[in-house]
């Protein structure tokens, strides 16, 4: 028997995937929602983006947030590497 989900729940699942970059597998494991449902909801959201300027803006914001989150993580890794390199060379010189 198919389960009915609220629009708010569906939006939360789409947000987890689109904004936070969560995989279908991790969402399925945590919430018990099938991959097919998640995929369908994401597709429906993308279609809504093409017809509604407000939803399009929200989608663009989610994508930008995810891009910035990934960029921030990459910069943190680079910064950590540079700190370790600086400490290494400081020991060598000193």
């Amino acid at each position: 028997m198919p389960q009915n989900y609220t629009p708010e729940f569906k939006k939360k699942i789409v947000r987890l995937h689109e904004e936070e970059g969560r995989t279908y597998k991790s969402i399925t494991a945590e919430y018990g929602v099938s991959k097919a449902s998640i995929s369908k909801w994401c597709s429906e959201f993308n279609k809504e983006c093409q017809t509604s300027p407000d939803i399009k803006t929200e989608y663009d914001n989610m994508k930008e947030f995810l891009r910035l989150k990934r960029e921030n993580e990459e910069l943190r890794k680079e910064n950590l590497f540079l700190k370790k390199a600086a400490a290494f060379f400081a020991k060598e010189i000193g």
Side-chain angles (χ1 to χ4, degrees):
M1 182 168 138
Q3 190 169 0
N4 290 327
Y5 297 100
T6 65
E8 292 80 20
F9 179 79
K10 291 178 183 180
K11 190 172 184 177
K12 177 181 179 179
I13 297 298
V14 170
R15 186 175 297 277
L16 287 172
H17 178 68
E18 297 289 341
E19 186 175 295
E20 296 184 17
R22 299 265 310 267
T23 63
Y24 289 169
K25 186 176 181 178
S26 71
I27 296 170
T28 297
E30 185 173 342
Y31 293 94
V33 178
S34 71
K35 289 180 184 180
S37 294
I38 299 169
S39 178
K40 179 182 172 193
W41 298 340
C42 289
S43 294
E44 289 171 355
F45 184 74
N46 288 333
K47 287 178 187 173
E48 285 181 47
C49 289
Q50 296 173 7
T51 59
S52 171
D54 291 336
I55 295 177
K56 170 91 169 98
T57 301
E58 183 179 350
Y59 179 75
D60 291 342
N61 289 340
M62 286 191 322
K63 286 294 191 183
E64 180 67 5
F65 178 79
L66 181 57
R67 184 190 71 76
L68 292 171
K69 187 176 177 182
R70 287 178 180 159
E71 181 180 337
N72 191 30
E73 184 61 32
E74 184 64 29
L75 292 171
R76 285 181 198 270
K77 289 177 186 176
E78 290 174 5
N79 194 23
L80 181 60
F81 174 78
L82 291 173
K83 284 180 181 179
K84 288 179 181 180
F88 173 78
F89 287 118
K91 285 181 185 178
E92 292 291 317
I93 294 173

